[in-house]
Amino acid sequence: MLSRHVRALGQAPLIIQPLIQLTRSLTGWATVDPERMSGSAPAACLNLVGGHWLPSGASRQLPDPLNGEHFLQVPHTQPDEIGPFVQSLRAVPKSGLHNPLKDPQRQAGGGKGPLYLLYGDVSFRVAAELRLPEVEQFFARLIQRVAPKSQVQALGEVRVTRKFFENFSGDQVRFLARGFTNPGDHSGQTSSGNRWPYGPVALITPFNFPLEIPALQLMGALYMGNKPLLHVDQRVSVVAEQLLRLLHHCGMPPADVDLLHGPGATVGEVLRAAQPRSTLFTGSQRVAERLAVETHGKVFLEDAGFDWKILGPDVRDLDYVAWQCDQDAYACSGQKCSAHNWIAAGLLDRLSSLASRRQLYDLTVGPVLSWTTRAMLEHTNKLLAIPAGAKLLFGGKPLSGHSIPEVYGAVEPTAVFVPLDQMLLPEYFDLVTTEVFGPFQVVTEWREGQLPAVLEACERMSHHLTAAVVSNDINFVQHVLAHTVNGTTYAGIRARTTGAPQNHWFGPAGDPRGAGIGTPEAIRLVWSCHREIITDFGPVPPHTTPLVQS
């Protein structure tokens, strides 16, 4: 299969690790082989509901993003099949599967224990499994097969996920539910603040990080005592299914999570019928806003957005800054603002040179799952039609010598320059700041005295996820930070806009629906609410005033 897969690309062989063998570490739970998935031997997925793996009435045949072969069969669950999922969510009490006062004994691997301790133990076991080279490589290659990215990027996603599980091993899960107490008004009275689960919840995640985002958000929901219904973009949901099978192997009770493969419309029907207490959505702005209306605001949104990067007045470490700009724009996606003195120093030439080294053979550039080639090139041409200075810096062409199916995008790393004054015009601003999740960026420049205009552009953007202020000029950095709101903002000469490690909050700001991921603070915010309990056990004061009789 590997040789046929490579020939279909029409290029040099993919740079990958040796073929995975389903060793003892994998045979206990893995049900797919990422190396052998093909048109002649497609892998198959199943739904999970009530602790049971079940098929749906129909399956969707998904094409290999690199050669178009139908290499994956995914349940195409329809609205008339949602009954078990609805019943499963409705059966969950609002007080959750566990909470600070209700922590039932459940089976954990080889013994029983409270759920807070069970999930600490499960996290420890999963982290240990992900440290095994064959397990790490299994997930990295599976990610590459469904959402092609370089070996470095795929392994990085697996390792970030492993570190998250390491962070929440042992007692760390119960520490998430830590509350506080305050003395009351009199003896025997105490008020306590508690982190309380929502109970039945839903989790909807996109294609771009098929392991990391579902894993981190799913475990946060479970740690806090909720039962989640998990839905992942069909094109990559096989990765989440294999994660759940690993979790079961490591002691997670199978009925604690339901997994629904299928179209978004079917998931919407489940949400309308089951009315989960909260839903976490990560994905496009358009879907996020529609979901907020349909759930009557019972959502947390880790939505997308137009990432910006402002290069400061202090030109230094040019090669490093150019390399980081290339990583931000083309290893995943990004859009940039620049400064005139950086352009004069040759930043764009270096960026063009770095982008030209990206090739399909090692997946440093690859298929775009959310935009077609035609759509990306049409967007590029619309930007180039902006008068008075818009120009193509590099790229703007389809990739050649490949078999990527037309339903996906395949373009060279592309950069379009748009003058700042044209960008700010009302007729062009929305176009220039359109989110393109692919190898595409918009570049502009600002000169001395134009920083207020740059900050005006940041203010007018509607979503505020990631941003970067590339400068070691502390006064400049503090001024930009003081006048912007992006929830995850990197500052300093090494500032970036891409990558979401497990060691810091990642999420938007400026929106009360904004969700975070990865940290204790993110988990508490998204997957629990505050409950105040006032205990008042006495002593009861004597009646000193007699009752007044009428």
Side-chain angles (χ1 to χ4, degrees), residues 147-195:
K149 58 181 74 175
S150 70
Q151 180 80 359
V152 171
Q153 291 278 319
L155 281 173
E157 183 174 346
V158 179
R159 290 168 181 172
V160 163
T161 304
R162 187 201 77 219
K163 289 178 181 178
F164 172 85
F165 280 104
E166 290 173 347
N167 286 346
F168 292 99
S169 297
D171 285 326
Q172 296 308 310
V173 173
R174 75 165 128 200
F175 291 161
L176 285 170
R178 175 179 289 151
F180 60 85
T181 62
N182 283 313
D185 292 336
H186 47 259
S187 296
Q189 186 186 72
T190 303
S191 63
S192 61
N194 299 268
R195 299 311 304 177

Side-chain angles (χ1 to χ4, degrees), residues 329-330 332-335 376 379-380 383 413-416 436 438-442:
Y330 305 124
C332 288
S333 170
Q335 294 82 28
M376 283 190 287
H379 180 69
T380 300
L383 289 169
T414 299
V416 175
V436 179
F440 178 89
Q441 65 173 324
V442 174

Side-chain angles (χ1 to χ4, degrees), residues 483-513:
H483 292 85
T484 54
V485 300
N486 291 64
T488 303
T489 306
Y490 299 90
I493 203 65
R494 295 187 62 174
R496 55 193 172 90
T497 61
T498 55
Q502 77 298 330
N503 64 304
H504 68 66
W505 165 286
F506 190 88
D511 187 332
R513 305 166 300 178

